[in-house]
Amino acid sequence: MKGRLKQELHKQLLKTEGFELAQDRLTSSAVAAQFFGHAGLPAATDSLAYEPVQRILAIATSDGRVKFVGQDGVECTASSASQSATKCLQFLPKKGALLRVTEDGDLQLWSLSDGRVLESMPFADPVTSVAIMHDEPFILLGCASGNVQVVSMIDSSGNSAMGAVPVHTLEMQPFQVDAEEMKGQGAVTCLTIRSHAGRHRMLVLHQATGVTIWDLRYECPVVLARNETAEELAGLAGAKATCACWIGGQGICFALGYSTGDICVWGLPGPLQQGVPMNRPLEAVLLAKLRVTPEGEMAEAVQQLTFIPGCATECPNNLLVLGGQVTEMPPALTILPLDCLSGDGTDQEATGATRFQPHSIPWFGAVQGWALVPPEASINEFDDPTAIMVLTEGGQLMVHDLNTFQPVPLSLPLQELQAITHCCMCASATEGGHGGGLQAATKLHSVTLERLRVRPEYNPNRFRNPKVS
């Protein structure tokens, strides 16, 4: 009652001042909030992925959104019902889709054509890591139970998405590899696959035991790299493997990062390099031991490893390492050259002296993700990278040239504008009335335009069909 009385008093006051209110024709549906778009990088970013062939950048946020960025001025922001942060973000090569794994262990499939969520698969056994089989329509999922499950990519016709075909949905497969078969215990903390000469080898890192190399063709474990083996051969007392990656393209060499800040490079025994598994799994061969910090100093755990073939160090094999810094220092990125390996990723005789020096990537904040960038004219995702794109906390993107190691900030055009501090809801004025006057759709604008009408500098053309961007 008080509100209605106040409104009537306001009308009478306006009439005494000579103003006549226009009829209110605004409906409730006309002021319903709608999302039309977003410019710039969100502040709540938590992961990054890069598609080098189409040159599309994807940045996920901790509240379930994904920002797609193409050439200058081309942006798309999509959202999902999940409000969970991102655990893993990967493009599906030649499939026109993006794969996102949430911290809750759900699997999401996003379309690149319109940004829709094509599939959202909750798992009773949460997904902890993902490996995509190149040139095959399958995705391997490492789970909290230690098992590895398989999903297939399905096209719009309901068949397996073989070759360069857009994926339409995902389908769970009955086949899985049990942790007991892999002789592993604990959740799968890292899962990656290497295919070469008809061989498909899966590297599985279990949280409690270490690494198992599983041969997908023969369906058996072929190599073990246990935490106890690292303690025995490399002197890493009490160390646990925290991350892993393949080295080279032949699937005969891999690197493991440990909780002590050490990195060990392991190779497959000679007989297994020919592709024929033995009756029982063999122990991996220790090729080298590396550290970001000097030997003997206490260091933080190595959090992630990525293999880089050839860069400005002129060393044919390098590791991009996150973590391993001195205790209580924030995790940073470092490029470590692998002097112990030849250009094809096989063991070579040690020279006794380090010919190549490590490079530290400048630190601009907590690292949330990175991607390797191939040369500008490249149309192959497997070409040697020329730069590293790093996403840091707060949505800051830096590109580090591997030739000069000079960082260059990458900002979207609209991000360079000043921040928005105030906003208001407005309705467009319409042309009409006697003598070319203006009529407004809301009470607020009817008063405002009436006052503008009595000003001598009033120009009706200034208010003709205004556009709000």
Side-chain angles (χ1 to χ4, degrees):
M1 188 66 183
K2 290 184 179 180
R4 186 173 299 177
L5 179 62
K6 190 174 181 180
Q7 187 179 21
E8 292 298 328
L9 290 175
H10 182 61
K11 286 182 180 180
Q12 295 298 326
L13 178 62
L14 291 176
K15 287 183 178 181
T16 58
E17 295 180 4
F19 298 113
E20 188 68 27
L21 292 178
Q23 183 181 358
D24 193 350
R25 298 189 299 272
L26 196 63
T27 62
S28 58
S29 60
V31 294
Q34 299 183 43
F35 176 79
F36 290 98
H38 177 276
L41 297 179
T45 57
D46 62 2
S47 59
L48 167 146
Y50 182 67
E51 208 286 307
V53 177
Q54 301 182 72
R55 292 172 173 79
I56 299 176
L57 175 67
I59 297 176
T61 66
S62 57
D63 57 1
R65 291 176 293 161
V66 173
K67 160 76 76 172
F68 297 98
V69 181
Q71 62 182 2
D72 289 344
V74 179
E75 302 178 36
C76 173
T77 302
S79 59
S80 66
S82 172
Q83 297 294 311
S84 179
T86 309
K87 180 182 288 290
C88 178
L89 192 70
Q90 289 190 44
F91 280 98
L92 300 180
K94 305 176 184 178
K95 304 300 181 186
L98 177 76
L99 196 68
R100 177 177 181 259
V101 179
T102 69
E103 288 289 348
D104 292 337
D106 298 340
L107 194 66
Q108 295 179 343
L109 181 68
W110 300 67
S111 170
L112 297 188
S113 59
D114 54 13
R116 291 185 301 116
V117 178
L118 299 174
E119 184 70 64
S120 182
M121 300 177 64
F123 282 80
D125 189 3
V127 178
T128 56
S129 54
V130 172
I132 300 169
M133 296 186 66
H134 291 276
D135 300 325
E136 297 287 345
F138 300 110
I139 302 172
L140 307 178
L141 308 175
C143 300
S145 64
N147 301 333
V148 174
Q149 302 190 50
V150 182
V151 297
S152 60
M153 295 176 277
I154 306 299
D155 60 19
S156 57
S157 61
N159 300 320
S160 297
M162 296 290 296
V165 177
V167 60
H168 182 70
T169 186
L170 301 175
E171 186 176 281
M172 196 70 194
Q173 298 298 309
F175 170 78
Q176 76 171 15
V177 184
D178 295 330
E180 185 178 352
E181 295 181 88
M182 295 182 284
K183 305 182 185 303
Q185 297 177 4
V188 177
T189 57
C190 183
L191 178 65
T192 179
I193 190 169
R194 184 66 80 231
S195 299
H196 177 73
R199 300 190 302 266
H200 301 285
R201 286 172 176 165
M202 181 174 63
L203 187 155
V204 187
L205 173 58
H206 287 96
Q207 188 174 24
T209 52
V211 161
T212 299
I213 305 296
W214 180 272
D215 193 300
L216 291 175
R217 179 180 178 183
Y218 294 98
E219 299 185 11
C220 65
V222 293
V223 173
L224 302 177
R226 295 300 191 224
N227 295 329
E228 297 80 9
T229 306
E231 181 174 357
E232 178 183 350
L233 299 182
L236 306 183
K240 288 189 176 182
T242 53
C243 55
C245 74
W246 286 106
I247 295 177
Q250 299 183 18
I252 59 176
C253 184
F254 59 94
L256 292 181
Y258 290 89
S259 57
T260 55
D262 296 279
I263 301 167
C264 289
V265 180
W266 302 89
L268 271 62
L272 290 177
Q273 296 187 15
Q274 307 302 321
V276 180
M278 310 298 289
N279 294 330
R280 58 181 179 83
L282 304 179
E283 293 290 339
V285 179
L286 180 64
L287 303 180
K289 176 184 171 184
L290 309 169
R291 282 178 67 91
V292 174
T293 58
E295 190 70 35
E297 292 190 11
M298 297 292 293
E300 297 287 347
V302 178
Q303 297 185 8
Q304 198 167 342
L305 296 172
T306 301
F307 174 66
I308 303 180
C311 65
T313 61
E314 298 181 356
C315 181
N317 296 287
N318 304 271
L319 279 178
L320 181 61
V321 184
L322 176 63
Q325 277 71 36
V326 178
T327 304
E328 298 183 358
M329 291 292 291
L333 291 171
T334 308
I335 295 180
L336 292 181
L338 298 174
D339 296 1
C340 60
L341 302 178
S342 62
D344 58 359
T346 56
D347 186 17
Q348 69 177 7
E349 192 172 331
T351 60
T354 302
R355 296 176 294 162
F356 308 106
Q357 298 300 319
H359 289 269
S360 297
I361 303 297
W363 192 84
F364 291 94
V367 178
Q368 295 181 328
W370 67 83
L372 303 180
V373 182
E376 185 175 356
S378 172
I379 59 173
N380 189 341
E381 60 182 309
F382 301 108
D383 288 343
D384 290 353
T386 58
I388 303 174
M389 188 184 305
V390 181
L391 175 69
T392 58
E393 191 176 12
Q396 185 178 14
L397 271 176
M398 301 294 294
V399 179
H400 302 266
D401 193 313
L402 289 178
N403 294 318
T404 62
F405 285 95
Q406 293 298 320
V408 177
L410 178 62
S411 61
L412 304 182
L414 289 177
Q415 264 191 309
E416 299 174 0
L417 302 177
Q418 294 182 351
I420 298 174
T421 56
H422 297 84
C423 65
C424 66
M425 183 181 70
C426 60
S428 299
T430 59
E431 185 178 2
H434 299 287
L438 298 176
Q439 294 180 351
T442 64
K443 296 178 182 178
L444 172 65
H445 281 73
S446 66
V447 176
T448 304
L449 293 175
E450 190 66 35
R451 289 175 177 172
L452 287 171
R453 188 177 288 124
V454 300
R455 296 176 57 180
E457 62 271 21
Y458 165 69
N459 180 4
N461 294 326
R462 292 170 53 201
F463 299 93
R464 199 174 301 234
N465 296 326
K467 295 182 179 179
V468 180
S469 58

